[in-house]
Structure formats: C-alpha cells, structure tokens
C-alpha cells in the first residue's frame, strides 16, 4: 500500500547492501531503472558492530563503489552515500529514511539480507518510513530459507551429506542421470594428503589498486587505524571482472590439486591450492552456481580429477548452502548456544598474534596480514585451540566475524559456533573437531619450527595441544563420553595411569592459567 503522503507514481527505493553486489539481484530484477532509485550507503554502524579487519572494510567499500559505478553505467539512478559524507546518519535505517524522504519514494523493495541483525532492522522500516516494504527472497542461493525449513522438517538428523545429495540432484551437477558421477557422492576420504613446499604451488592473482581503491584505502587507514589487521599491501579484486579472473586462474592452476591437498597446511604457502573466492561469492561478485558449473566443466573436459571437482563443488552447494539454511532455521537462539559451557576469555594472542605456538602464530599472523586463512587453519588450528581451551564461543564467534574478509554472520556463525566449537551440541557435526598436536603435525610443516615438542604429551616443552586435548575430553566427559563417535578416544583416556591422567590435568591447568586474557578495546 503506498503511503498517503507519497504519489503512487513515485520511485521505489531499492536499498542494496555490501554483500548484494550482483546485477541479477532479486530487487533489481523487479525494479524499473527509468524510475526507481538504488540506495547504497557506507555506514558507521556496519563497520564497528565488530572491529572488522581493515582489509575487509576496504574490500567491501571499494567493491561497493565499483558496483555503484557499474549500475550507473547500466542506466540506474544510484544514490551512493560515502562514509565521510557529513549528512550520513551512520546507520542503514537512518539512510533509508533520509533517502525515502528526499526522493518521495512510493515504497521500498529490498532483497532479504544475509544477517538476522539486518532483517530486524528491515522489520522496522515500515514504521520508520511510513512506506510499504517488500522483501524478496535472495535467489542467488540454490536453496531458499523456506525450502531448507521444509527439508529439515521431520528429520531427526540434519546432516550436511543428505542435504548435499539433494542439491546435486536439484542442480544436476556431477550427475549421470540419477546417479552421482564416479558412482560415489563424496570423495573426501581421498582429500587428506599433506603437502610439501615446492615452486609449482599456484599463487592467487594480485590486483593493482585504481583511484577508487586508493581513496578507500586512505579513508580506512584514517578511520579504522585501531582495527585488527594490516591494510596494505591490498590486492583483492574489487570488481566482478577481476573476481572472475581470479576464479579462472584458480580453475586452471589450483583446482586440479584442490582435492588432494584440501586439508594441508604449509608455513610458506598461506593459500595452497585453495580458490580464494569466498569473499567474492559472499559479496555477490561471483555467482555460486556459475562457479560450480565452471568447476564441473573442468572435470567433464578432463582437466581436473573427480575428487577435486567434487570436493570443491561440495563446499559450495553443500556446506555453504547448508550453513545458511541452519542459520535461518535456528536464529536468533542459535547465537546463544554454549553446549560445553565454555567460559574462558579469548587469549590476547588471538588479536596480537604473539604466541610461541608456531601453528597458531602462523594462522593468526596470516590472518592479520591477509584477512584470510583456509578452512583447516580456521577449523583445526585457531578453532581447535579455542575448543580445547574452553573459550567462550561468543567471543570466538566475534573474532572470526571480525578477522576474515569473507565473514558474514550467516556463514561464519554456524561454522564457528557449530562446526568448530560444538556449541550447538552436535547439530552440525556428529562430534567435536578436537585434535591433539599429532593432527597438526601430520597435515602441516608447522611443528618443525616450534619451540614445543609435538611428540611429548606432558612435561617441560611438551606441545600444549596434547595435554589440552586429553584434558578437554576429561573435562567434558559428562557431555561427550556417551557419543558413539568418541568411544575410542575415551577408551584410550581410560587406559592412561592415574599419574598420567593427573599430569595431563596439571599441565593443562598450568598452561591455561598462564594465558593472558584479551582485554576488550585493546585491539
Ligand atoms: P576454498 O577452500 O577454495 O573452498 C571453495 C569455496 O567453498 C569457498 O570459497 C566457500 O565459498 C565454500 N566453502 C568452503 N567451506 C565452506 C564452509 N565450511 N562453509 C561455507 N562455505 C564454504 N566461510 C566464509 O565464507 N565466511 C566465513 O566467515 C567463514 N568462517 C568460518 C569460520 C570457521 C571457524 C570455519 C571452520 C570455517 C569458516 N568458513 C567461512 C568456511 C571456509 O573456511 C571458507 O569458506 C574458506 O576457507 C574460504 O576460502 P577459499 O575461498 O579459498 O575456499
Ligand atoms: Fe602447534 Fe604443537 Fe606443532 Fe607447536 S608442536 S606447531 S604448538 S601442534
């Protein structure tokens, strides 16, 4: 219903958020470019609800400015509000209200946001503006939130694997009729090889900064100097064209070995065979289904093996879609979950990067410089440590949301709180991703450079992950010992002598007591 104070023929206001930079966005598809007005705004509230990495803010602002220019060139009227515009009200809502009034909008049409926080804001727009607000489903995802809710209904277990198979059938990706290519749905078991540093490991493309990006870098350098991470060198793609170049580069150079070395970690190779496209897909510069079709073509044309193409496609149509479904199914209570009742304050070194543990130093150091760590670094180094140390999952969640360029709550929260911290009690994973130093040693070259001895369980110089691992099992036995997938670990723990068990408990306690807790506002 148009508002009584606005002419029915006035323009619709089309707010577009920083993660909606897609020309095919649902709200653009229904809009009329000759009449309607697109609103894009760099607002202070969105930059500080967690202290985002400087590179993340720079990436999103520059990508937004380039997208606005792309829309403008395509004939749209774009109202673009810069962060340093003196009239900028500082929040999405204040900018929507101001724009709606200025253009005498007849209504607002918006594509559903990625985050619960923003959905709540949109819920107040009708009241705030007196205008009708139409919220459209975000069809850049393969599975709508309603479809996911239908899939989840009446299921005892919401495991990703079954959802993934449905997405394969729905898209036809890697299907031979009704059967999966290669007669198996999942080739994960073949994707666990450790890697060796060599000259042939591909590097992601590094893009030159144009005038727009340089202006953004100046702004971010001045306004967000206290935020985590290094701003420069800044080399991310900030346009669709460059994001596509990175994707093509990966398909040619990284995808063939993506599967084999998916879980490997190397000190000198932060990116290994990973694609580095999550930030581009999440911001809307790349379309997830098109990305998967191109990966499938590499397999069909015989350039990459099936385990690589399947592994890559599973991450996107499986994990990525699945975590979004879980997020919208379970929010807002999901964010409050703390199944293991973990309450320790996050250690200071997560923000400073200063620690003697070589694996954490590598993963956090790289996070500071690149706003990137690959999945196994996030899950089995920083995530594993936080899990074993019993760190408050809310603080862990805020850390991940702040430090990665690809972090938006809908994808970050289920990965952190569910997959990595087991704070949802096993909704996402059937057991916690807890591991001793042995796993890190097997999959990386970190331990060789570490002052700790990965082979030692307790005593002087022993790798802290070892005592922490067994202590974690011991501390959480009441909640985990009955888990069938943990039976073997608990059987091993029970075989320790009383003295060995006591040494584990004491070493873990001493190590944890020695951690410097983070003090809010230090970083
Ligand atoms: P690749 O390894 O090349 O994988 C290809 C693509 O698959 C990625 O670009 C991404 O789009 C998708 N993908 C892979 N794994 C996942 C997953 N578990 N969930 C969703 N999509 C996936 N991913 C984010 O996009 N944003 C986050 O904020 C985020 N937070 C994470 C927090 C934790 C604790 C963990 C364990 C994982 C998190 N992930 C997140 C998932 C994953 O680590 C990143 O998507 C991946 O590392 C991005 O790098 P890449 O593009 O090189 O991925
Ligand atoms: Fe990490 Fe332990 Fe290996 Fe050191 S020895 S790098 S702390 S796993």
């Amino acid at each position: 219903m148009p508002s009584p104070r606005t002419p029915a023929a006035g323009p619709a206001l089309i707010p577009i958020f920083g993660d909606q930079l897609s020309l095919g966005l649902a709200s653009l598809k229904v809009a009329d470019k000759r009449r309607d007005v697109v609103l894009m705004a760099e607002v202070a509230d969105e930059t500080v609800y967690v202290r985002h990495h400087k590179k993340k803010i720079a990436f999103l602002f520059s990508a937004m400015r380039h997208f606005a220019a792309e829309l403008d060139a395509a004939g749209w009227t774009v109202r673009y509000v810069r962060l340093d515009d003196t009239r900028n009200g500082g929040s999405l809502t204040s900018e929507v209200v101001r724009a709606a009034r200025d253009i005498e909008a007849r209504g607002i049409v918006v594509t559903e946001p990625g985050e619960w926080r923003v959905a709540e804001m949109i819920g107040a727009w009708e009241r705030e503006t007196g205008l009708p607000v139409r919220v459209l489903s975000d069809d850049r995802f393969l599975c709508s939130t309603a479809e996911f809710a239908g899939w989840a209904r009446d299921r005892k277990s919401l495991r990703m694997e079954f959802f993934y198979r449905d997405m394969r059938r729905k898209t036809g990706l890697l299907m031979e009729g009704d059967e999966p290519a290669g007669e198996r749905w999942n080739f994960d078991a073949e994707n666990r090889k450790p890697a060796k540093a060599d000259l042939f490991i591909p590097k992601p493309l590094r893009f030159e900064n144009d005038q727009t990006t340089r202006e953004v870098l100046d702004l971010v350098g001045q306004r967000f100097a206290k935020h985590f991470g290094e701003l420069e060198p800044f080399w991310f793609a900030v346009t669709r064209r460059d994001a596509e170049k990175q994707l093509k580069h990966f398909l040619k150079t990284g995808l063939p070995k993506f599967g084999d070395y998916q879980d490997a970690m190397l000190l000198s190779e932060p990116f290994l065979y990973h694609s580095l496209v999550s930030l581009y897909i999440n911001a809307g510069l790349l379309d997830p289904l098109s990305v998967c079709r191109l990966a499938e073509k590499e397999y069909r044309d015989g350039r990459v093996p099936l385990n690589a193409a399947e592994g890559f496609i599973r991450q996107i149509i499986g994990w990525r879609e699945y975590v979004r479904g879980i997020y919208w199914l379970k929010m807002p209570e999901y964010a409050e979950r703390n199944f293991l009742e973990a309450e320790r304050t996050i250690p200071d070194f997560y923000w400073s990067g200063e620690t003697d543990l070589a694996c954490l130093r590598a993963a956090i150091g790289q996070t500071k410089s690149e706003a990137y760590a690959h999945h196994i670094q996030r899950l089995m180094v920083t995530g594993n440590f936080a899990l074993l140390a019993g760190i408050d999952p809310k603080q862990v969640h805020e850390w991940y949301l702040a430090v990665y360029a690809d972090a938006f709550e809908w994808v970050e929260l289920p990965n952190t709180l569910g997959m990595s911290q087991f704070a949802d009690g096993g909704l996402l994973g059937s057991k916690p991703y807890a591991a001793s130093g042995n796993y890190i040693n097997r999959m990386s070259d970190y331990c060789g450079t570490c002052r700790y001895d990965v082979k030692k369980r307790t005593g002087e110089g022993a790798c802290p992950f070892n005592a922490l691992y067994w202590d974690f099992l011991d501390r959480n036995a009441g909640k985990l010992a009955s888990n069938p997938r943990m039976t073997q670990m608990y059987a091993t723990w029970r075989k320790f002598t009383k003295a060995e068990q006591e040494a584990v408990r004491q070493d873990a306690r001493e190590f944890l007591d020695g951690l410097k807790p983070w003090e809010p506002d230090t970083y």
Side-chain angles (χ1 to χ4, degrees):
M1 283 283 293
S3 145
R5 69 178 172 74
T6 51
L13 183 68
I14 318 286
I16 293 187
F17 308 129
D19 56 355
Q20 297 186 335
L21 310 181
S22 311
L23 292 171
L25 195 69
S27 47
L28 286 176
K29 279 193 285 211
V30 301
D32 179 348
K33 68 164 77 156
R34 289 161 308 177
R35 187 179 59 175
D36 298 335
V37 176
V38 170
L39 168 69
M40 296 179 71
E42 300 167 1
V43 293
D45 279 8
E46 293 300 305
T47 60
V48 294
Y49 66 89
V50 289
R51 283 202 187 177
H52 302 287
H53 196 298
K54 297 184 192 81
K55 274 198 168 86
K56 178 181 181 186
I57 301 176
F59 163 64
L60 286 171
F61 280 3
S62 182
M64 282 169 68
R65 290 183 187 191
H66 283 93
F67 183 69
E70 199 178 355
L71 287 179
D72 184 64
W76 290 93
T77 303
V78 183
R79 175 179 166 118
Y80 193 95
V81 186
R82 292 188 174 208
L83 189 73
D84 49 10
D85 185 328
T86 50
R87 292 158 302 174
N88 188 331
S91 71
L92 291 172
T93 297
S94 64
E95 282 313 293
V96 164
V97 171
R98 194 164 70 90
R101 193 185 51 226
D102 287 357
I103 67 166
E104 299 193 352
R106 72 172 196 286
I108 299 170
V109 183
V110 65
T111 304
E112 65 183 338
E115 303 197 349
W116 181 266
R117 195 177 49 82
V118 181
E120 285 202 306
M121 274 183 225
I122 294 174
W125 285 358
E126 285 202 356
R127 199 183 60 238
E128 300 273 350
T129 60
L131 297 174
V133 178
R134 193 171 155 208
V135 182
L136 303 175
S137 173
D138 189 346
D139 57 12
R140 297 173 302 169
F141 290 93
L142 295 176
C143 181
S144 70
T145 51
E147 189 185 343
F148 190 87
W151 175 82
R153 199 171 301 127
D154 303 331
R155 265 173 207 265
K156 270 209 199 110
S157 150
L158 300 184
R159 291 285 169 258
M160 194 287 291
E161 184 62 29
F162 299 109
F163 171 78
Y164 164 58
R165 291 178 191 181
D166 284 353
M167 290 301 107
R168 288 271 294 275
R169 291 187 189 98
K170 179 174 177 175
T171 57
L173 281 162
L174 296 179
M175 295 297 291
E176 308 289 356
D178 292 337
E179 297 301 317
E183 296 172 6
R184 269 162 62 195
W185 292 101
N186 184 320
F187 289 79
D188 209 21
E190 284 154 44
N191 292 0
R192 291 175 190 158
K193 297 194 178 84
K196 277 211 178 81
D198 71 43
L199 294 175
F200 304 105
I201 295 179
K203 309 276 182 264
L205 295 180
R206 291 176 175 250
F207 297 93
E208 290 287 321
N209 298 322
D210 63 6
Q211 180 62 23
T212 302
T213 301
R214 280 196 295 276
E215 281 171 22
V216 168
L217 292 176
D218 285 346
L219 175 78
V220 173
Q222 284 163 21
R223 287 283 292 263
F224 305 101
K226 285 197 162 169
H227 280 220
F228 177 83
E230 292 155 25
L231 179 58
E232 299 200 53
F234 182 89
W235 47 268
F236 289 149
V238 290
T239 61
R240 180 174 332 284
R241 182 139 33 106
D242 283 349
E244 281 166 2
K245 279 189 197 155
Q246 167 57 25
L247 172 66
K248 287 194 180 130
H249 171 74
F250 161 74
L251 293 172
K252 203 164 140 217
T253 62
L255 185 60
K257 291 190 178 162
F258 174 86
D260 290 353
Y261 300 118
Q262 204 177 339
D263 290 3
M265 298 174 279
L266 286 179
L267 260 181
S268 56
E269 298 291 345
F271 309 104
L272 269 162
Y273 295 95
H274 291 274
S275 62
L276 213 90
V277 294
S278 53
L279 72 170
Y280 307 136
I281 299 180
N282 294 351
L285 297 181
L286 295 177
D287 170 58
L289 183 57
S290 315
V291 168
C292 291
R293 296 241 181 266
L294 289 173
E296 178 184 36
K297 185 164 185 322
E298 293 301 295
Y299 160 68
R300 299 272 181 211
D301 291 352
R303 286 186 290 271
V304 309
L306 183 53
N307 72 312
E310 188 280 317
F312 181 74
I313 287 171
R314 173 163 24 94
Q315 307 310 316
I316 297 179
I317 65 166
W319 279 111
R320 186 173 184 276
E321 294 282 334
Y322 169 79
V323 296
R324 176 182 185 253
I326 293 283
Y327 177 82
W328 284 102
L329 191 68
K330 299 293 177 187
M331 281 296 278
E333 61 86 19
Y334 193 74
E336 304 303 321
R337 292 202 187 182
N338 188 355
F339 175 70
L340 297 176
E341 296 170 80
E343 285 176 351
R344 184 175 299 279
T345 302
I346 194 167
D348 181 79
F349 69 68
Y350 271 76
W351 297 101
S352 71
E354 288 162 19
T355 167
D356 286 346
L357 284 77
C359 50
L360 284 161
R361 195 169 58 235
I364 297 169
Q366 173 191 325
T367 300
K368 277 183 101 173
S369 57
E370 310 291 2
Y372 176 86
H374 69 66
H375 188 67
I376 293 301
Q377 293 174 305
R378 297 187 207 196
L379 186 63
M380 300 311 293
V381 180
T382 41
N384 183 24
F385 183 87
L387 173 71
L388 300 184
I391 297 169
D392 176 356
K394 228 174 185 170
Q395 292 186 24
V396 183
H397 150 55
E398 282 177 14
W399 185 79
Y400 279 97
L401 188 57
V403 302
Y404 291 112
D406 59 19
F408 296 90
E409 195 182 75
W410 64 266
V411 53
E412 177 278 328
L413 184 71
N415 268 299
T416 302
L417 199 115
M419 188 190 298
S420 153
Q421 300 302 296
F422 207 67
D424 65 7
L427 184 72
L428 238 86
S430 51
K431 73 177 179 64
Y433 280 95
S436 68
N438 186 32
Y439 174 87
I440 296 175
N441 192 33
R442 189 155 29 95
M443 296 312 300
S444 79
D445 61 357
Y446 297 149
C447 301
T449 66
C450 189
R451 66 159 266 219
Y452 294 107
D453 182 352
V454 72
K455 303 277 179 215
K456 257 181 111 174
R457 189 196 299 144
T458 52
E460 186 58 31
C463 166
F465 275 87
N466 295 338
L468 287 179
Y469 172 73
W470 294 109
D471 185 61
F472 166 81
L473 291 186
D474 185 36
R475 260 188 290 130
N476 293 295
K479 291 190 164 151
L480 300 177
S482 58
N483 181 327
R485 296 201 59 205
M486 308 284 287
T487 313
Q488 209 188 335
M489 287 85 145
Y490 277 101
T492 309
W493 168 243
R494 281 192 288 272
K495 283 188 197 141
F496 285 22
T497 63
K498 289 273 173 260
E500 284 170 335
Q501 290 190 343
E502 203 36 54
V504 160
R505 289 187 191 110
Q506 191 176 325
D507 274 24
R509 198 163 45 238
E510 275 174 22
F511 178 81
L512 292 173
D513 286 349
L515 290 174
K516 184 179 167 203
W518 169 63
E519 286 174 24
D521 295 332
T522 337
Y523 301 101

